[in-house]
Amino acid sequence: MAAPFMEELSDYLGSPEPAVRLIFSILIGYPFALVYRRYFFHQPPYIVHLFHTFSGLALAAFNFGSQLYHSAVCIVVQFLLLRLMGRTVTAVLSSFLFQMMYLLFGYYYTATDQYDIKWTMPHCVLALKLIGLSFDYYDGGKEASQLSAEQQKGALPSVPSLLEVLGFSYFYGGFLVGPQFTLRSYLKLTCGELTDCPGQPPNSVFPAMKRFSLGLVCLAIFTIGSPIYPDSYFLTDEYEAQPFWYRCFYILVWAKINLYKYVSCWVIAEGVCILSGLGYNGKDSNGVDQWDACANMRVWQYETTPLFTGTIASFNINTNAWAARHVFKRLKFLGNKMASQVATLVFLAIWHGLHSGYILCFSMEFIIVTVEKQALSLVKDSPMLTQLSNSSVYPLIYCVQQVIHWLFMGYPLVPFCLFTYDKWLKVYSSVYFCGHVFFFAAYLLMPYLRKALVPRKGGNEKKEEEINTGTAQRREREKDAVWAGRETEREWRRRGGRTRGETDAVKERNVGYQKLQANKHKPWIETEYQGIVMENDNTVLLNPPLFALDKDAPLHYAGEICGFRVHSGTSGSGAAQFEAVVLDRSTGEGLVRSKEPLDCESQREHSFTIQAYDCGEGPDGVNSKKSHKATVHVRVNDVNEFSPVFVERRYEASVPEGRLFDRIVRVEALDADCSPQYSQICFYDIITPNVPFAIDNDGNIKNTEPLDSKRQRVHSFWVTAFDCGKNRAQADAQVIVTVKPSCKPGWIGWSKRVEYTPGSGNIPLFPNLHLETCEETVWNIQATVELQTGHIGKGCDRDSYSDRSVRRLCGAVRGEVDLLPPPSPAANWTAALPTLPSSDSSLVFSFNGSTHVAVVPDSVAAAVSGDHFTLQLWMRRGGANIQPPANQARGSHREEETIICSTVKNDDSFSHYSLSVHGCRLSLFYWPDVATARPVKFLWKLEQVCDSEWHHLSLSVQFPSVTLYVDGVTFDPALIHDNGAIPSPAPRQRLVIGACWEPEEKQKDIVNNTIPESKDSGRYLGGYRGLLSGVTVRPGSVEPHSVVECLYACREGLDFGDLETLGSGMKVHVNPSQSVLVLEGDDIESFNRAMQQVTYRNSLRFATPGVRPLKLTTSLRCFSEEGCLSLRQLEGYLVVLQPDAPQISLSGVGPHLARPAPEFEGPHGVPLFPELRIVCSLTHTVNTAVQGMEGGALMSDAVAHTLDGCEVQPLGEELNPEREELLVDIDTLRERGLDIINTTAYIAITGAESISVYEDVLRSIRYRLAKGSARFERRFRLSCSEMNGRLYHPSHLLASQQQFLHPSHHSGELSGHTLPNPHRNSVVPGAATVIIMVCVGFLVVMVILGVFRIRSIHRRGDGARGGSKESSNQWDDSALTIIVNPMESYESRMGTSGDTEGECEEEEEVVDSPGDSSDDQRIIIKKEGRDNGPRRY
């Protein structure tokens, strides 16, 4: 339904359908985000993961259909790599190679020279996500000190679950077009941490709507501008004919508009992320909430910056940041920043696709950025250019910058959008490669411009550096002097004080003395120290203590230690965290301390180096010497500052009742302390009293007594945890244990017996059925419902009309010839063939392979000549009471059995064909011309040929084309070959059914159509063993497939109620005969609803009653195959009840018809039934549900109101053709497709047609007398039959009994009816005569009833003695059988069918006397075996 809507929408918008689908999918992220905020924000994380996964999969299916499996495969493989390879470089490289190779192969197989929206578009975004996931998981295994700030934000401390990876990958806000974000951020979103209101959805609606509105503006600009400035214009001759300036201007405007395509998508997608909370980025320095965590565009910077680097920094931010974090910075081992930059650009070019345009675009980007950086450096270093950039003319310079910026921003964009070499080269040639010329020339000229515009620094620069260096040294000396001065003052005070002159003399003497002594030795310290510091303290206790020794001691300055320097070590610790101070200069004692209190949980061990230096040769520290570097290892001792925290606040479990379990659920608490002493959980405790549960030190909870669901269904209690420092958990955890009642898996609500009332449409077979799995996790369910109908008629319940009538109702082309008609004087070649009863009122002929052969007369065979014909038949191999011939040895190889063998005369030649079966093969041997052509044999290997079931075959021959339909399904020949040299059949037309003849000289003695046992049984070859029915041949064009399906169609079968209500993931399959229905699904609730919609339907108003066995077979597949459930097969039966007989009345015909003689003698005679009414007392409502059944649309309407024959019979003597006749319009009958048999004994109109048609035809029947041949009285009987004679509706009032008067006769009363006569000499019988005739008629009826009663009793005795012997012309009343005990199996009832038929013959025939005056008559069921029974039409 969505496809036509999207096509119409895309046509209306004038955009490609994939683009419309993409925009629609991005926009639908806003409703998804609102649903998440409203319904899933407070749900557990796994629920949120499921929502994100299925919403993303829905978007993928909507855009790419079944190709969504590409993303699923890559996600699963990535998860397996993380699980199996762990935090290794191999895992990172494997992920990188697999994801990139998969993406590149996708580009290779799907890429075209146009911009197509295929599955590779979101997959390139997904590839970066999954590669980044492998890097983040690898970083999670490193120490925090070894990671940068960016790496620490994305590092994963533990391996993610598959559900987390799926939700992260399919998140609707970034699946299709980005942005990129880390799994760490996504997990914070699912835990509800990314919000400005803790515990509540974020206040992000307004920021999201701002980005949404901005995105719509950008989308509108692109939508309006892209048709005006299309990509295709570059490749036109008109573009090349434009002046150079216009071609450049077109590139500028085109690039500006074309980039809005990306801007709009990214800004709208960013709004989705903001609305969901993923865009939350904390607060800035002013406390304002920031929502730019997923910003992929800085639109203001993008619109205003005049720099190429500014545009790049504001465009596709997250992708550029991803490339910088995971490619550029991780290539620092190359030692060359430019090499890392080139490698990053090459990666981005290949990531975009395999077209040459991407390589050229990113190479131009590298050149442009390089030249721009040199130009910016030149402006900065050049005073003139700096002054110019700060002058009042800068706005003009800015405009020029923008023109150059966007012109050459569009220049590399041309190959990016045109992809292939031939296209972008044509455009670049048209603008004379101006971009390449401009930037390469600028790159070459930049050094010369620098020389010309930047003044040389030379000596001034050096002097400035020396000044800066000298200033630093001077400051250091001043500090030393101050320190030395203080020392001198203390010394003066120690000595008791001197005069100022004395002091100056002492200073001069000391200075002179020090100059004489040199600093000869370096200080010495230990090579390694071990230190301990308590957590939250800063003093380090070293072992050994820190002392620095100098061999120049006790000299002043040279022998003293002035300080210690701390250098960073391998762990990253050093001067930033520790410092060392001198406690005593003379002794060299020192102290190491941390600048801030240390945290054991952040870093437990620190390593750095320390170095001592002396005071040099004087107060200014000149010629100071340093010791070697000593390694210091500091361990931070833990303090029990954290309490245990449970992993989950609530633990839930379900257990069956009545059992003791070693472990029901395991609770787990963690302690954030760094040492094993305080971080381990020593024991757990249940704090809720009087509960039947216990917990061990590992957190395993078990029950101490069997649980009873009736006594208490849910147990709720609280547990706590203690670490080894006796700290209790911050918050206790709740445990909920649900006790499940005893459960037995299987189907519940199975009804073994189902009753069906004919005409009731569809009925559900399992209205209350549902599957109980006892909470076993099942991922696939398959149920097979089998309805066994093989014992009903020809494999199932079909129409009860004759084969000829069914063909007409199915719309078959007329002109078929019945090769096995009912035996009659005109069709006596089937008289000797044994027949079997059939519930569908058709004759079934039995062939035993030897003596049963039907030889069709030449007059009939001549009607089916030609090389284009259609052969149709019902066939069943084997069959009841068919034994192999006596001359066939047991176990010997059976010969080919011939169904039909015919030689046909065609104009001036003869053709020959035979249809045979051999094993499970069906073969057609066809000889187009027995005189010249070679024969061809068509073979079909069919299981239907040898399964001993009824099958319908339709073989259409239009040589050399042959079409075979078996049960309405087409089969192609498995082998077609030439049989080689075969003796040509005799050029004589003949047609045999059940065998094929031997050469002409051997066939001399055929008695009718049966070979006597005493004769030579070898006269016919390949006798057929089995049952045949409805064998017809029609020359001419072949039958349509729909007609063949209709002829075979079963009117009963299994069906599914409403396919639109079928749940997601459910599948339904029904076989062609609708006897087997298979349901498959993965959700138990959906499966139960589907099972309750499995229905049985029978489109026949008069369905065949009886039992249809039902079987239900169930197969379950579980995640754990070893412990999966196994359900037994269920068996039941469907009982089709006895249908109500239709109450059809023949009315509107009076008992008398008196007309003047001239009217009878007129050319048209007198109509017999001018006011005939045929009324059906049952309301036949056509069930619309049956229209979906095979052939139901063709048959259901006709079945409701159809007759198949009516007969008008004169009572008494037959018609005298010289004096009287019945007139019927033959042309009208042919137009309506009806046949007529007009004899002196009766007139029969046959063919299945509606009641209204038969009314019109019967009203048109006229009776005419020859002049001078008027009769006083003539009686007629009108009778009609339905369903091939199964339902017989006679007029027992003799409603068509007519009395005819002539003026030359003087007749009185007749039959007690007073008839008005216009002629004076007419005689009407009196009332006495009427009374006498009624009494006599009643006496005759009683006598006849007595005779029939005696005969029926006598027949019952003969039937008991004769067993189950059946007459070939016995009436088939299987549809009228009354079920006494429906619980009885159908096999037992079939075994006693002979007795039932014998008992049914006791039914009394009701004969109404002519004196009855009622018009509406009830249905009288007639037996065909009786003398006055209806004829079979």
Side-chain angles (χ1 to χ4, degrees), residues 293-314:
C294 293
N296 224 12
M297 283 294 303
R298 296 189 183 98
V299 181
W300 179 254
Q301 180 183 354
Y302 169 79
E303 295 291 346
T304 58
T305 180
L307 302 177
F308 293 97
T309 52
T311 301
I312 295 173
S314 63

Side-chain angles (χ1 to χ4, degrees), residues 1025-1041:
R1025 300 180 68 253
L1027 306 178
L1028 294 178
S1029 177
V1031 182
T1032 61
V1033 175
R1034 185 184 57 77
S1037 60
V1038 300
E1039 298 283 11
H1041 189 194

Side-chain angles (χ1 to χ4, degrees), residues 710-981:
K710 297 179 181 179
R711 185 172 60 184
Q712 186 173 355
R713 181 69 184 274
V714 178
H715 295 266
S716 177
F717 53 93
W718 296 83
V719 297
T720 190
F722 295 87
D723 62 16
C724 295
K726 300 299 181 66
N727 276 0
R728 181 175 171 172
Q730 289 181 353
D732 302 327
Q734 184 183 16
V735 180
I736 299 177
V737 178
T738 303
V739 184
K740 298 184 296 184
S742 298
C743 178
K744 183 177 182 181
W747 288 104
I748 298 176
W750 170 262
S751 179
K752 190 173 184 181
R753 171 191 170 95
V754 181
E755 290 187 354
Y756 177 78
T757 302
S760 58
N762 289 25
I763 64 167
L765 293 176
F766 320 113
N768 302 316
L769 192 65
H770 66 276
L771 181 63
E772 176 60 57
T773 61
C774 299
E775 299 188 7
E776 177 72 25
T777 305
V778 178
W779 68 272
N780 183 266
I781 314 170
Q782 181 174 331
T784 303
V785 183
E786 181 181 358
L787 177 68
Q788 297 180 5
T789 59
H791 59 290
I792 306 296
K794 298 189 183 75
C796 65
D797 209 357
R798 293 187 170 86
D799 289 288
S800 300
Y801 294 94
S802 62
D803 292 332
R804 185 175 183 180
S805 298
V806 172
R807 286 181 54 81
R808 202 172 84 71
L809 292 174
C810 287
V813 181
R814 300 174 185 173
E816 75 279 358
V817 178
D818 192 352
L819 300 183
L820 291 179
S824 66
N828 61 353
W829 66 89
T830 60
L833 291 177
T835 60
L836 297 177
S838 174
S839 62
D840 57 2
S841 302
S842 61
L843 283 179
V844 176
F845 295 92
S846 176
F847 294 84
N848 62 1
S850 58
T851 60
H852 298 160
V853 179
V855 179
V856 181
D858 293 343
S859 59
V860 178
V864 294
S865 60
D867 57 354
H868 289 189
F869 60 90
T870 298
L871 173 64
Q872 296 190 9
L873 55 94
W874 284 94
M875 180 188 75
R876 177 183 174 186
R877 291 285 297 281
N881 302 325
I882 296 179
Q883 301 296 332
N887 57 359
Q888 179 178 328
R890 182 177 181 85
S892 62
H893 184 70
R894 296 175 61 180
E895 63 180 3
E896 190 173 63
E897 302 175 18
T898 303
I899 299 175
I900 184 170
C901 187
S902 175
T903 298
V904 181
K905 188 177 188 308
N906 304 317
D907 296 334
D908 55 352
S909 63
F910 287 86
S911 61
H912 175 82
Y913 71 88
S914 63
L915 183 66
S916 307
V917 290
H918 188 197
C920 290
R921 288 179 173 83
L922 178 73
S923 64
L924 174 66
F925 179 75
Y926 189 77
W927 204 321
D929 190 344
V930 298
T932 58
R934 296 173 63 85
V936 179
K937 196 168 188 177
F938 301 86
L939 292 178
W940 294 268
K941 187 175 181 181
L942 305 170
E943 295 181 359
Q944 293 89 335
V945 176
C946 54
D947 62 359
S948 298
E949 299 290 342
W950 278 106
H951 296 284
H952 181 263
L953 273 64
S954 178
L955 186 67
S956 298
V957 177
Q958 284 183 312
F959 192 77
S961 175
V962 175
T963 304
L964 174 66
Y965 296 96
V966 179
D967 297 339
V969 181
T970 308
F971 289 89
D972 295 326
L975 179 63
I976 304 175
H977 64 80
D978 191 328
N979 274 320

Side-chain angles (χ1 to χ4, degrees), residues 243-259:
F244 175 76
W245 69 267
Y246 180 84
R247 294 196 294 268
C248 295
F249 177 76
Y250 187 89
I251 293 177
L252 185 152
V253 179
W254 167 82
K256 187 70 174 176
I257 293 175
N258 198 54
L259 286 176

